[in-house]
Amino acid sequence: MSIQFKAKTWLQGLLIVSLLTAASSVQAAVWQTKNQWSMAWEIKYQEWVAEKMTTDFFMNPKTPVYYRMAHDCADSIYFARLAFAYENKLPFVINNIMQKGKLLTNDMKNWDRENPVNRVRKFMQYVADRVGTRSIHLDTYPMALADIKAGDLYVQPGAHSYIITGITETGVTSIVSSTTPASPKHMVRLFAYPFFIPQDKAKMRDGYRRFKWPRNIKKPMQQQPGYSPEQYRVAEQVKYNYVAFTDEIAKKLRRRPEPLQEKTTRVLYGLCAFAKERVNYVNDGLNQLRRIRAGGRQCMNRKEYDYYSTPSRDKRLKMYFNEVEKIAYAGGGLRRDEISIELLARAIFHPQIPGHLNAELNKFCGLAAYPTNQNKFINLRQLWSNLKAGKVSSDPHASIENRWGTSSTPHRATCPTY
């Protein structure tokens, strides 16, 4: 074989390797961007969230790319945007709070040796490790209340966040949210307004918000299309009264008024769902406490305590009870007529009720607060009484009786509280 032929063969081989390497490099991004965000794509995102963002989104084996992805409330919001961008080959660009001025994008090539599904999952985990409720304001901006749509979100930095999946005829938001700690789980859906009021008038880091488009990611919120500080003005005008504030939202979003019975039904079912969420929080904390004590440690560290304690949640739950009480009595006092949703709502707060009403409250929303005793429940009336009396402990080191306020002996902390 001649030297000339060998050289030609070698050059051809080198060219093939170069082409393959280039093709591999092209495929090394998490996914290739083929479309760009526009109002048309934003509307498609709203429709996608309304249809696809169900409580089992991360627990559906039919979608292996998202199946059993660990998530908390902030993760689930970012993941929704990421998933839609991935499925439609749109850019996904957010701020990297670990490196100021740097961005997290689908063009990253950290996982070029992974198959396409694992590449997306690795990227999702990478994003989850670098976002939280305190970072959402960097990637979003506030909009006018009348402009709230599916795909928008609500965030209270350091506390909680929700994704909005729709608006009812009466102007009530359908909201889906996850919880801490991050884990594979079903989310919770409520037909209710997020139980917060935007208060950060100076920096506007909380409230109802919408994602920035990638090309606008470095622009301040004031330069985003549709930006509006209206919600902060409205909250201030109603003196940060939750019911008054949400009534203003309803007026702007509704297609018909919400009768009192509908409103009572909505808030009572919302209260039940909120209380049942607490059952999961408390049980998760007690399970973690058992695990660390089995390993020889008696007390949670700061991070664990932050995950499993419930002070802000318990404060919001008590506030929710207060608002439900106002709505429950808007239609009158306790009348011993046939069982109705209004009667059940008033029975939670009335000083004395007949035994059959207590039994109806058990049927309506019996909280299985004691996992080792399936026959032991507390209802909303008992929980409200214990909350009002200050017997309910938010400390994850407390006994299950103290967590629910059913102990006659107050909890006395022997472990550090943070």
Side-chain angles (χ1 to χ4, degrees):
M1 186 182 292
S2 69
I3 293 175
Q4 185 179 7
F5 180 78
K6 285 182 178 179
K8 184 179 179 182
T9 304
W10 179 80
L11 285 170
Q12 288 173 335
L14 182 61
L15 179 60
I16 291 169
V17 170
S18 298
L19 289 171
L20 288 173
T21 302
S24 175
S25 176
V26 167
Q27 294 301 315
V30 184
W31 67 83
Q32 292 300 306
T33 297
K34 296 181 180 178
N35 297 301
Q36 293 297 327
W37 284 96
S38 63
M39 280 310 303
W41 278 112
E42 198 66 50
I43 291 169
K44 288 179 181 178
Y45 176 63
Q46 294 161 8
E47 294 168 347
W48 182 88
V49 168
E51 180 186 354
K52 301 291 188 182
M53 193 48 48
T54 53
T55 57
D56 66 344
F57 185 82
F58 300 106
M59 298 299 286
N60 187 351
K62 292 181 180 179
T63 51
V65 68
Y66 318 125
Y67 181 54
R68 295 193 63 79
M69 279 298 304
H71 55 88
D72 61 21
C73 61
D75 299 336
S76 62
I77 286 172
Y78 279 102
F79 286 174
R81 191 73 168 181
L82 186 156
F84 180 80
Y86 161 66
E87 291 178 12
N88 294 282
K89 302 301 176 276
L90 290 157
F92 177 83
V93 180
I94 60 171
N95 286 277
N96 184 349
I97 59 172
M98 299 294 192
Q99 294 177 283
K100 191 173 181 180
K102 300 291 184 180
L103 300 172
L104 303 175
T105 83
N106 61 291
D107 289 330
M108 295 176 71
K109 298 178 173 59
N110 302 37
W111 309 280
D112 56 353
R113 295 183 183 274
E114 299 285 347
N115 66 51
V117 168
N118 283 345
R119 198 176 297 163
V120 176
R121 290 178 68 86
K122 294 277 187 182
F123 181 51
M124 291 174 76
Q125 185 57 61
Y126 192 81
V127 167
D129 291 341
R130 288 158 178 80
V131 298
T133 57
R134 290 185 175 90
S135 73
I136 289 177
H137 75 277
L138 298 171
D139 303 310
T140 61
Y141 60 95
M143 83 294 287
L145 294 173
D147 195 32
I148 295 172
K149 294 180 172 64
D152 294 334
L153 59 102
Y154 191 101
V155 63
Q156 182 71 19
H160 201 31
S161 56
Y162 311 80
I163 186 166
I164 295 164
T165 59
I167 312 291
T168 70
E169 287 187 346
T170 54
V172 177
T173 52
S174 165
I175 52 177
V176 168
S177 65
S178 182
T179 56
T180 55
S183 61
K185 55 181 171 283
H186 284 75
M187 296 181 287
V188 173
R189 185 185 186 193
L190 291 174
F191 288 95
Y193 300 102
F195 204 75
F196 296 96
I197 302 173
Q199 299 186 47
D200 190 6
K201 185 180 177 184
K203 297 185 177 179
M204 291 181 278
R205 293 169 294 192
D206 60 355
Y208 292 92
R209 310 181 73 84
R210 181 170 295 160
F211 273 103
K212 297 177 182 178
W213 290 350
R215 61 179 173 270
N216 297 332
I217 194 68
K218 293 192 175 181
K219 293 181 181 179
M221 67 179 81
Q222 291 82 357
Q223 294 179 24
Q224 303 296 329
Y227 158 81
S228 171
E230 174 208 25
Q231 59 189 285
Y232 304 96
R233 293 197 302 268
V234 172
E236 186 178 40
Q237 287 165 3
V238 299
K239 297 182 170 56
Y240 302 99
N241 178 286
Y242 173 77
V243 171
F245 179 71
T246 53
D247 282 348
E248 287 300 313
I249 299 175
K251 288 175 189 175
K252 294 173 184 294
L253 294 176
R254 71 190 182 192
R255 299 187 294 280
R256 65 172 176 83
E258 183 180 40
L260 181 60
Q261 184 180 22
E262 266 187 53
K263 187 173 186 178
T264 306
T265 302
R266 171 173 59 82
V267 298
L268 198 55
Y269 274 97
L271 179 61
C272 180
F274 203 171
K276 285 183 174 179
E277 272 189 17
R278 190 179 190 276
V279 173
N280 296 330
Y281 274 107
V282 170
N283 290 344
D284 285 348
L286 290 169
N287 288 336
Q288 177 67 6
L289 190 62
R290 279 191 285 272
R291 282 192 290 269
I292 67 169
R293 286 181 173 170
R297 190 157 49 94
Q298 287 301 301
C299 298
M300 293 186 182
N301 58 34
R302 182 183 292 274
K303 184 177 180 181
E304 290 166 334
Y305 188 91
D306 184 53
Y307 268 146
Y308 296 106
S309 61
T310 56
S312 60
R313 173 164 285 272
D314 293 345
K315 182 180 178 182
R316 284 188 290 124
L317 181 59
K318 189 175 180 180
M319 290 169 64
Y320 203 160
F321 268 107
N322 284 324
E323 301 302 338
V324 172
E325 183 176 16
K326 293 174 189 174
I327 294 165
Y329 280 101
L334 187 76
R335 297 188 305 274
R336 297 188 183 187
D337 51 11
E338 64 182 73
I339 301 300
S340 65
I341 199 74
E342 296 96 328
L343 188 63
L344 285 179
R346 294 169 203 148
I348 295 171
F349 308 99
H350 214 68
Q352 303 241 336
I353 63 170
H356 78 278
L357 267 185
N358 201 61
E360 290 294 334
L361 283 172
N362 287 338
K363 282 197 287 185
F364 172 75
C365 189
L367 304 173
Y370 301 88
T372 57
N373 186 346
Q374 296 300 312
N375 298 315
K376 191 173 181 181
F377 293 84
I378 65 172
N379 61 34
L380 293 174
R381 177 180 172 82
Q382 293 163 318
L383 178 56
W384 168 240
S385 176
N386 296 344
L387 273 169
K388 190 168 61 170
K391 293 180 178 180
V392 174
S393 175
S394 303
D395 189 338
H397 299 106
S399 69
I400 194 163
E401 290 77 16
N402 286 120
R403 293 305 310 270
W404 291 103
T406 58
S407 174
S408 57
T409 307
H411 171 64
R412 289 183 173 81
T414 56
C415 285
T417 57
Y418 301 97

